Amino acid sequence: MAFDRRAFLGTTAATGAAVALAGATSSPAAAHSESRAQSQPRTYSFTVMGTTDLHGNVFNWDYFTDKEFDDKAHNDVGLAKISTLVNQVRAEKGRRNTLLIDAGDTIQGTQLSYYYAKVDPITARRGPVHPMAQAMNAIGYDAAALGNHEFNYGIPVLRKFEEQCDFPLLGANALDAKTLRPAFPPYSMHCLRTPFGRDVKVAVLGLTNPGIAIWDKANVQGKMTFPGLEEQAAKYVPRLRALGADVVIVSAHSGSSGTSSYGDQLPYVENAAGLVAEQVPGIDAILVGHAHTEIPEYRVKNKATGKDVVLSEPLKWGQRLTLFDFELTWSKGCWSVAKVSAKVLNSNAVAEDPKITRLLSDEHRKVVAYVNQVIGTSTQAMSSAEGPVKDVAIIDLINHVQAETVKGALAGTEWAALPVLSQASCFSRTASIPAGQVTIKDAAGLYPFENTLEARLLTGAQLKDYLEFSARYFVRTAPGDVVDPAKLTNAESIPDYNYDAVYGLVYDIDVAQPVGSRITGLSFQGKPVDPAARFVFAVNNYRASGGGNFPHVAQAKQLWSNSEEIRNTIIGWVKAKGTVDPAQFASVDWRLTRAGVAVF
């Protein structure tokens, strides 16, 4: 049947007349009711879901213990669990009324992520697709900010991961060092269809951590630069509003405390999310990352507008999923945010999504087989459980391998005659080496980070300062007070990885004394340490670059550096030795005291 334009127009006109007539003959009460309905504000609600610090966790599995993940709070981990929560929220809210974003630190942290960066690298010709890209694509992420650990394996690995993702990796303050132009997309814009009015335009601005310039200096120096979060947010938020954004969300790989672990080495704040909320007008919500803390909802008043900005940080590794719930009103031809609230969902309340576990079952099996390879034997069991408060053999093992590696590297150089000391932290209180067979997972579990090894030149006086700074980690405890090991550490919220034990020196830490006056009896080979004496210090690149803001080491002369991860150095050492015997390297060289009396 041919389209009759004249008949169509006639029908339309008749229909219009009928509607007009019906309106004209309606009662005054009905007309008033219709007018009142039209004057009532129209609303639209949507939800933005957020994760952060996933650190290579897809399955609820601990590759270092080779069993299902569990902790004291019975948390679960992994994107497979997050996927189930996301599916539930989408079913409740409607898929078109949700977005899913991440705040960074995605491709480092587990043996799964390590395997596809180093053992079977995604950068190889015809290499595999990264498991995190596969999982996040399948779940349907809309955007993710860059974390500092994205740079651990070098820029080529990060670029390949970016290429494999179906969503943008955002970094408004990750700039090309030469052009100072964004090296990654600064933001993404998302349109949500509403029942009336125009679409809601949601902008996601990605910000990463300036500390990358220190922590991954070897990978980014001369290639990328990382200005402050506040500075770049102030630059982009007005642009996003000018582009028509009705809602602006920041995904920031930066904590909310306003502090920095690198002191004054950079002019930019490490944990700046709260400052961004306070100082930059036009932001509605911030997904916070980096600090590995749980913040269901935290409100910061913007100084310029007086409006609250809602912040939320879900717990690391996929243990929590943040929900930002937005309510918008349509008035005078535009959308405005009427209300924002946030909360977190616990992933231990749901089962893993079989779609995700099936998708990556082969990759999981490969990595489990890899970490269970036997590389040597140990004459006795060693545990890190008491490592934060006692000089234990398992930490001595790390230090011994580091010191021996540096000695070998400096053999035949002008520094060969100097004594070599080493630093190490208790990175995991659950790390252990069993008696008998030692596997890759056992050795790698001592060092979960991708740190590499360096040698720096320090004096006796500088080492004393270094130890005093490290000893801030202990809570001041008077002689006679009851000592609870669980409450003795982590003063000022200092994490375990920022307390260093130094191997090769003998010293006491008097926890009854104030910070700065705790190190006593400092000696080397039975003699008091000469403040002017020179020592080679085996130190990880994080610390050598200023991580933790320890004194002197970042400015100290570099004598040697290595590109191999320390954990691989430990694995190689065990393979080469065949047998791990604590009698050959372990000794109690430091202890906690009060007024000269040992605490333990």
Side-chain angles (χ1 to χ4, degrees):
M1 178 179 175
F3 175 66
D4 187 337
R5 182 172 179 274
R6 183 174 298 173
F8 172 77
L9 291 174
T11 303
T12 304
T15 303
V19 170
L21 183 61
T25 58
S26 61
S27 68
H32 176 71
S33 175
E34 181 177 317
S35 173
R36 183 174 59 188
Q38 290 175 349
S39 68
Q40 288 178 343
R42 296 179 174 183
T43 63
Y44 173 67
S45 299
F46 70 96
T47 297
V48 176
M49 298 173 281
T51 55
T52 191
D53 296 279
L54 293 169
H55 283 288
N57 285 280
V58 174
F59 297 86
N60 186 40
W61 194 261
D62 185 341
Y63 292 96
F64 294 129
T65 61
D66 198 26
K67 60 185 180 182
E68 186 173 297
F69 177 88
D70 194 25
D71 62 12
K72 290 180 180 178
H74 300 298
N75 289 302
D76 288 346
V77 300
L79 278 170
K81 290 268 186 172
I82 289 295
S83 183
T84 301
L85 290 175
V86 167
N87 291 339
Q88 290 179 353
V89 173
R90 285 172 175 164
E92 178 189 349
K93 309 283 186 178
R95 174 72 183 254
R96 294 168 64 178
N97 301 320
T98 64
L99 293 171
L100 175 60
I101 64 176
D102 183 80
D105 275 5
T106 304
I107 60 171
Q108 175 277 338
T110 64
Q111 286 294 287
L112 180 72
S113 54
Y114 175 82
Y115 187 89
Y116 287 97
K118 292 291 187 178
V119 181
D120 185 11
I122 61 174
T123 49
R125 188 169 177 264
R126 297 179 181 175
V129 177
H130 199 288
M132 294 301 287
Q134 290 191 59
M136 294 174 82
N137 290 342
I139 295 169
Y141 273 77
D142 294 289
L146 293 164
N148 54 283
H149 283 288
E150 260 65 84
F151 294 85
N152 284 175
Y153 297 116
I155 292 173
V157 170
L158 174 54
R159 286 300 189 192
K160 188 64 178 180
F161 175 70
E162 179 188 29
E163 177 187 314
Q164 294 176 342
C165 290
D166 294 340
F167 51 91
L169 299 183
L170 308 177
N173 62 328
L175 310 182
D176 181 277
K178 294 183 175 63
T179 65
L180 297 184
R181 294 176 62 82
F184 294 85
Y187 61 86
S188 58
M189 195 74 80
H190 309 268
C191 288
L192 300 178
R193 185 65 55 85
T194 67
F196 42 76
R198 59 171 172 77
D199 293 350
V200 170
K201 295 180 74 174
V202 181
V204 179
L205 178 67
L207 297 169
T208 193
N209 206 289
I212 295 165
I214 290 177
W215 304 320
D216 268 300
K217 182 179 179 181
N219 290 327
V220 302
Q221 189 173 32
K223 299 173 184 176
M224 291 187 190
T225 185
F226 303 88
L229 283 82
E230 308 100 303
E231 169 191 327
Q232 293 303 102
K235 176 180 178 180
Y236 278 100
V237 171
R239 290 189 190 180
L240 296 173
R241 291 295 184 182
L243 289 170
D246 301 296
V247 179
V248 173
I249 300 168
V250 174
S251 183
H253 193 75
S254 181
S256 60
S257 66
T259 60
S260 294
S261 68
Y262 42 70
D264 59 1
Q265 293 179 72
L266 288 176
Y268 313 115
V269 176
E270 176 184 350
N271 295 303
L275 297 174
V276 171
E278 182 182 80
Q279 297 176 14
V280 182
I283 297 170
D284 296 298
I286 300 179
L287 177 65
V288 179
H290 183 62
H292 289 203
T293 57
E294 182 177 341
I295 306 174
E297 183 183 88
Y298 175 49
R299 293 177 178 268
V300 175
K301 196 170 294 294
N302 183 267
K303 285 184 175 180
T305 65
K307 293 182 178 179
D308 280 355
V309 181
V310 177
L311 284 68
S312 181
E313 181 175 6
L315 200 58
K316 65 185 185 297
W317 305 346
Q319 294 179 38
R320 303 288 185 275
L321 176 71
T322 278
L323 303 187
F324 291 105
D325 289 315
F326 290 84
E327 292 183 15
L328 276 62
T329 56
W330 175 257
S331 179
K332 298 179 181 178
C334 67
W335 288 107
S336 60
V337 176
K339 183 181 178 183
V340 186
S341 61
K343 63 182 179 181
V344 295
L345 303 181
N346 194 329
S347 68
N348 73 3
V350 296
E352 292 183 313
D353 183 350
K355 172 186 172 182
I356 304 301
T357 56
R358 282 196 302 267
L359 177 68
L360 292 163
S361 59
D362 286 347
E363 287 83 350
H364 177 65
R365 280 194 294 267
K366 284 180 183 178
V367 175
V368 168
Y370 165 73
V371 301
N372 280 289
Q373 291 179 38
V374 175
I375 55 173
T377 59
S378 178
T379 60
Q380 65 185 66
M382 293 178 280
S383 168
S384 65
E386 294 184 312
V389 295
K390 293 182 181 180
D391 187 349
V392 295
I394 203 166
I395 306 299
D396 286 345
L397 173 59
I398 298 172
N399 272 319
H400 179 74
V401 172
Q402 291 180 165
E404 192 173 275
T405 301
V406 167
K407 284 178 184 176
L410 295 180
T413 72
E414 62 180 300
W415 315 108
L418 292 180
V420 178
L421 311 176
S422 178
Q423 62 77 222
S425 304
C426 181
F427 296 114
S428 168
R429 298 191 185 202
T430 59
S432 63
I433 297 289
Q437 291 185 335
V438 178
T439 63
I440 284 177
K441 77 171 187 289
D442 298 324
L446 306 185
Y447 223 107
F449 298 106
E450 271 66 43
N451 295 342
T452 57
L453 189 60
E454 296 191 18
R456 298 281 177 132
L457 186 65
L458 292 180
T459 67
Q462 290 173 328
L463 284 162
K464 173 72 158 45
D465 290 344
Y466 190 99
L467 288 169
E468 288 286 7
F469 184 85
S470 185
R472 299 176 310 127
Y473 170 76
F474 296 103
V475 175
R476 191 175 184 182
T477 309
D481 284 359
V482 174
V483 174
D484 180 354
K487 298 178 180 178
L488 189 57
T489 62
N490 307 102
E492 302 175 36
S493 299
I494 296 169
D496 292 348
Y497 62 77
N498 273 341
Y499 167 64
D500 287 357
V502 173
Y503 180 79
L505 298 176
V506 174
Y507 57 96
D508 289 345
I509 303 172
D510 191 333
V511 295
Q513 299 304 314
V515 168
S517 302
R518 292 181 168 181
I519 303 300
T520 62
L522 182 62
S523 65
F524 174 72
Q525 294 184 344
K527 297 179 181 179
V529 169
D530 181 351
R534 297 193 303 172
F535 296 87
V536 176
F537 196 41
V539 61
N540 68 52
N541 68 304
Y542 173 80
R543 193 70 80 233
S545 298
N549 200 30
F550 278 62
H552 306 306
V553 69
Q555 295 78 34
K557 182 179 179 63
Q558 185 189 76
L559 308 181
W560 172 83
S561 66
N562 188 16
S563 61
E564 182 179 69
E565 287 96 345
I566 291 169
R567 67 174 163 210
N568 275 349
T569 302
I570 296 170
I571 290 168
W573 185 91
V574 174
K575 283 182 177 179
K577 297 291 183 182
T579 300
V580 179
D581 183 2
Q584 297 178 356
F585 56 79
S587 59
V588 178
D589 295 329
W590 66 269
R591 61 177 186 164
L592 301 182
T593 63
R594 290 182 294 181
V597 178
V599 174
F600 301 109

